[in-house]
Amino acid sequence: MIIKNPIETTFYNFLFRGSGLFFGFITSIVIARLLGPEKLGEYSLAFWILTIVGYFVNLGLPTTVTKYISEYSGKKDYVSAGNILRNCSRWVFWAGILVTLLLFFTSPIIAGLYHKPYLSLYLRIGALGMIPMGLLAIYMAGFSGFLRYDLIAFLTFILSPLTFLLLLLALVLKKDVEYLFWVSFISNLLGAFLYYEFYHSKKYPYVKEGLPSELKSKLINYSQSIFVILLLEAFLWERFELLFLGAYSNESQVAFYNLGFNLANKVILLLPGALTGVLLPIMSEAYGGGEKERLMNIHYNSTRYLALIAFPLCAGGIFLAPRIITSIYGAEYLPSALIFAIVLLAGTVGSVSTASSSFLYSVERQKVILRFYILAVLLKLTLNLFLTRKYQAIGAVWVNFSAQVFFGVGVIVYVYAFFLKRKFPLIPALKIGLTSFIMGFVVYLLSSFLPGVFGLIVCILLGVILYPIILA
């Protein structure tokens, strides 16, 4: 069994995320420009509902698979690792059948609650993709647990461009939201098939036996707590405001919010995400091997590295927000610029806090994260009732900002207060923050002399060059 070293793993994770985000980014531009704000709002609301429903298929099992396959790999017990994957994939399959049937038959009721008849058809098509989506997530989690991000990157290079071409074909032939969901179904089905075949062709362990009662109990207990956490996490990170925005406003407001939110997430997930994506399996491996000092060092160093990457992305994105939105998506989406900037700022705090949340997951203190999520979601619910109803998309984004910052700062403070033997690297973080601000401000001043898309690209490249010079 080949397990990659941290540098190699991070590199391949960057390739995997980078290729997926690149094609996702190009796809979002094509969809936004060809559909327009109103149709994009329809697509965004239905897609968000399907995303939330998907959590009831996965049931926290992909995270469980990654954590325990990493842990048992650290113990060189590959038979148990294969047994975990096989049984968890079966649980996801049966959950997928139940969720598919429930969503298919209740979609008209959901459409009626929102007073949006088009939702019924979109949700029924989306329901058909629930089982392949769940199985795809499980096998991807299995490869993550074995730290085989090179294989995930390879399969992503196949699936992402193919999905993009299918979406482009569907939009060119007929600009209808319905066909986008058919493409998602085909993509998930093909992805699940490829991951299944690839896993077995590489002869990874897949033990056709029942789980030992102790291990089964451990998996169920862990996945139950993870499911609750991930559901709360979805409410915190996955545009929970759309639940209210879809009811209180029109489709254009939904589109402006969703576009700005998604673009900011793509920026944060690209470089910082390449590191955060490997933290849980690497920390779990250290924890499973009893290397507590190494575990604390991984956490401390990853916090600094995340700040080093996320802060300049945040500063540059905020200063160039209007240029980025109008150059990429068109002037009709200018209201998304402020939303993009605010979500980017909140996402930076969340990105840095990922080191602390991954630490808590790896040492099986997920109940601590659960408490912070409950408090953050309650804050979101309260603020949504006042801000989103009155200020629509702008109110929704400030609700999101408040909850994300509350959670991120809370988790960081907790880990450093109760687990680590050292202080938070505040001085380095302030230095990085000041450097990022100066870089962003200089690029903003230069941007007035560099119009157009080409000028925007030059500004971004100048920022990349200026940042390490100023930091030094």
Side-chain angles (χ1 to χ4, degrees):
M1 191 66 55
I2 300 173
I3 298 179
K4 305 293 181 178
N5 64 58
I7 295 176
E8 191 175 0
T9 299
T10 302
F11 170 73
Y12 281 116
N13 190 35
F14 171 75
L15 288 182
F16 144 59
R17 289 178 179 273
S19 60
L21 287 171
F22 171 76
F23 283 103
F25 174 63
I26 299 299
T27 300
S28 71
I29 296 173
V30 172
I31 291 175
R33 285 188 172 269
L34 292 181
L35 288 183
E38 185 174 348
K39 284 288 185 181
L40 180 61
E42 292 183 10
Y43 175 73
S44 300
L45 182 58
F47 191 86
W48 175 80
I49 294 172
L50 291 171
T51 300
I52 297 301
V53 171
Y55 283 89
F56 291 89
V57 176
N58 290 334
L59 298 172
L61 290 168
T63 302
T64 303
V65 166
T66 297
K67 187 253 190 303
Y68 282 102
I69 284 183
S70 296
E71 187 173 316
Y72 278 88
S73 295
K75 299 175 182 177
K76 310 301 181 185
D77 185 356
Y78 301 117
V79 173
S80 293
N83 204 355
I84 288 167
L85 182 69
R86 190 246 181 184
N87 282 275
C88 287
S89 63
R90 291 179 62 195
W91 296 342
V92 164
F93 176 79
W94 290 110
I97 290 178
L98 179 61
V99 170
T100 296
L101 292 173
L102 286 174
L103 180 59
F104 190 87
F105 290 109
T106 59
S107 56
I109 299 173
I110 298 172
L113 291 174
Y114 275 97
H115 303 290
K116 300 181 189 299
Y118 60 79
L119 278 177
S120 180
L121 175 61
Y122 301 162
L123 295 181
R124 283 187 166 179
I125 298 171
L128 300 177
M130 286 293 154
I131 296 174
M133 179 273 297
L135 293 175
L136 173 60
I138 282 290
Y139 276 92
M140 187 179 292
F143 282 131
S144 297
F146 288 119
L147 299 179
R148 292 307 304 265
Y149 289 97
D150 54 332
L151 302 181
I152 297 176
F154 175 76
L155 291 172
T156 302
F157 280 132
I158 296 174
L159 291 169
S160 294
L162 181 59
T163 301
F164 171 74
L165 290 175
L166 289 173
L167 282 168
L168 184 61
L169 181 64
L171 287 170
V172 169
L173 292 178
K174 192 169 184 179
K175 297 179 183 179
D176 198 319
V177 176
E178 172 188 348
Y179 294 95
L180 300 183
F181 289 106
W182 280 117
V183 170
S184 294
F185 166 70
I186 295 170
S187 177
N188 284 330
L189 189 64
L190 179 61
F193 172 77
L194 285 177
Y195 268 90
Y196 177 86
E197 289 296 321
F198 214 78
Y199 185 91
H200 290 279
S201 68
K202 294 295 180 181
K203 301 188 184 302
Y204 273 83
Y206 191 79
V207 181
K208 295 183 178 181
E209 298 177 0
L211 287 167
S213 58
E214 183 179 351
L215 177 57
K216 183 177 181 180
S217 177
K218 183 186 290 187
L219 293 177
I220 291 174
N221 290 335
Y222 187 83
S223 63
Q224 284 176 344
S225 59
I226 290 297
F227 169 66
V228 175
I229 289 172
L230 290 179
L231 194 59
L232 291 170
E233 187 178 86
F235 292 150
L236 183 61
W237 307 105
E238 285 289 347
R239 298 155 293 165
F240 179 52
E241 298 74 36
L242 290 181
L243 176 68
F244 298 88
L245 201 58
Y248 294 151
S249 62
N250 57 36
E251 280 75 7
S252 294
Q253 286 289 309
V254 172
F256 294 147
Y257 180 81
N258 194 68
L259 187 143
F261 187 101
N262 281 341
L263 182 59
N265 270 358
K266 285 180 173 62
V267 172
I268 289 295
L269 285 174
L270 179 57
L271 289 174
L275 180 57
T276 60
V278 302
L279 287 179
L280 177 59
I282 290 175
M283 287 182 177
S284 294
E285 184 188 0
Y287 178 70
E291 302 173 89
K292 293 184 179 180
E293 188 64 30
R294 175 173 169 246
L295 177 60
M296 289 190 289
N297 286 334
I298 291 171
H299 174 271
Y300 183 79
N301 291 324
S302 61
T303 299
R304 291 192 297 126
Y305 295 148
L306 285 168
L308 198 65
I309 298 170
F311 284 15
L313 286 175
C314 176
I318 288 173
F319 277 107
L320 295 176
R323 282 285 302 277
I324 291 172
I325 293 296
T326 55
S327 297
I328 296 174
Y329 297 103
E332 60 184 336
Y333 290 103
L334 182 59
S336 294
L338 180 58
I339 294 166
F340 167 72
I342 297 170
V343 174
L344 197 58
L345 183 59
T348 299
V349 177
S351 179
V352 174
S353 73
T354 305
S356 296
S357 58
S358 296
F359 179 91
L360 291 172
Y361 279 128
S362 67
V363 299
E364 301 183 2
R365 295 296 183 91
Q366 60 270 20
K367 289 184 179 179
V368 174
I369 299 176
L370 176 60
R371 295 188 189 104
F372 278 107
Y373 273 132
I374 291 173
L375 292 174
V377 169
L378 288 175
L379 176 63
K380 253 195 173 186
L381 282 170
T382 304
L383 293 177
N384 265 307
L385 294 174
F386 298 98
L387 296 181
T388 304
R389 180 190 291 268
K390 185 174 182 179
Y391 300 105
Q392 300 192 347
I394 297 301
V397 75
W398 281 115
V399 171
N400 179 274
F401 174 85
S402 302
Q404 285 200 34
V405 171
F406 170 82
F407 173 84
V409 173
V411 169
I412 292 172
V413 170
Y414 185 90
V415 169
Y416 275 90
F418 293 100
F419 286 95
L420 301 186
K421 300 175 183 178
R422 57 192 76 176
K423 294 182 179 179
F424 179 81
L426 181 61
I427 300 301
L430 290 175
K431 180 184 177 182
I432 295 169
L434 180 60
T435 302
S436 301
F437 177 84
I438 294 171
M439 177 274 296
F441 184 68
V442 171
V443 170
Y444 170 75
L445 294 177
L446 293 173
S447 67
S448 60
F449 302 101
L450 298 167
V453 177
F454 178 76
L456 175 63
I457 295 172
V458 172
C459 288
I460 294 172
L461 292 176
L462 285 173
V464 173
I465 296 170
L466 282 172
Y467 175 65
I469 294 174
I470 301 170
L471 187 64

